Amino acid sequence: TLSVSWEDPIRSLIRCVQLFNFDVEILQIECLSGPSVLTLYIGKLMVVPLGLLLLSIIHIIAATTVFKGRFKETIYALYGSCGMLVMGFFIAISIAILAPFQCSQHPNGKWTILQY
């Protein structure tokens, strides 16, 4: 394989972009507890639903404190925020869902999964 060692400004940019690709492995969590492959896969898939839950909780708190309980008037802001979150991560979600189905064939004829 071809390996390129990038210098610092580009290396930092690549690491930031990997976070948006749901590459949880760059955080190196397995050094602390050693989660299984299934746990890492489920963790990647749960990022967006947890983000939606967090947005909903923030909206409920803001609607009760700042807007004095006017949920009906502010619900469209929540819809827009949730839609932007899902739209922004759509490709990354699709890649994470399809990752276990990406295989490569070895010279001995056996197939292995690329990422896991």
Side-chain angles (χ1 to χ4, degrees), residues 26-76:
I26 67 166
L27 299 175
Q28 297 179 349
I29 300 171
E30 63 271 359
C31 293
L32 298 175
S33 64
S36 68
V37 174
L38 181 63
T39 305
L40 287 174
Y41 180 69
I42 290 173
K44 283 183 179 183
L45 296 181
M46 291 305 295
V47 168
V48 172
L50 290 176
L52 293 173
L53 179 66
L54 181 66
L55 275 175
S56 300
I57 291 170
I58 291 171
H59 177 75
I60 290 171
I61 292 171
T64 54
T65 58
V66 177
F67 296 107
K68 310 288 189 245
R70 295 182 304 196
F71 289 104
K72 199 170 192 175
E73 297 171 10
T74 59
I75 194 72
Y76 297 109

Side-chain angles (χ1 to χ4, degrees), residues 93-104:
I93 294 168
S94 301
I95 290 171
I97 290 172
L98 297 175
F101 302 106
Q102 295 177 349
C103 300
S104 66

